[in-house]
């Protein structure tokens, strides 16, 4: 699926950046993710995929129209 491929690339890029900036010898697998346009047709499934990823520790969803529907969908996923 195209969205899954983009999500995995984005998480891989975040992991590469976080490991390059770490001062410890072990890389951290934590990532803070912000989804812009979270109420749209691509942003909502991307938010759900990021919520399911164990590498994402903090997920922020933003959109100009508000994201109450996306927040309700995300609240049903136990983490």
């Amino acid at each position: 699926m195209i969205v899954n491929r983009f999500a995995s690339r984005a998480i891989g890029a975040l992991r590469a950046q976080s490991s390059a900036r770490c001062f410890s010898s072990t890389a951290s697998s934590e990532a803070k993710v912000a989804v812009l346009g979270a109420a749209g047709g691509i942003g909502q499934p991307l938010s759900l995929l990021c919520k399911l990823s164990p590498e994402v520790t903090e997920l922020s969803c933003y959109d100009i129209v508000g994201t109450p529907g996306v927040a309700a969908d995300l609240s049903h996923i136990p983490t």
Side-chain angles (χ1 to χ4, degrees):
M1 187 172 187
I2 293 174
V3 175
N4 192 10
R5 190 175 339 147
F6 286 128
S8 63
R9 283 185 187 173
I11 291 171
L14 287 173
R15 187 183 318 136
Q17 285 179 356
S18 66
S19 65
R21 295 181 184 184
C22 288
F23 294 106
S24 66
S25 61
T26 58
S28 175
S29 65
E30 300 176 350
K32 294 182 181 180
V33 176
V35 178
L36 307 178
I42 296 174
Q44 188 169 8
L46 180 62
S47 299
L48 293 168
L49 287 171
C50 288
K51 177 77 173 183
L52 291 171
S53 174
E55 297 173 355
V56 176
T57 57
E58 185 176 329
L59 178 62
S60 301
C61 299
Y62 298 100
D63 202 313
I64 57 173
V65 295
T67 58
V70 177
D73 290 342
L74 294 174
S75 70
H76 295 295
I77 300 174
T79 55

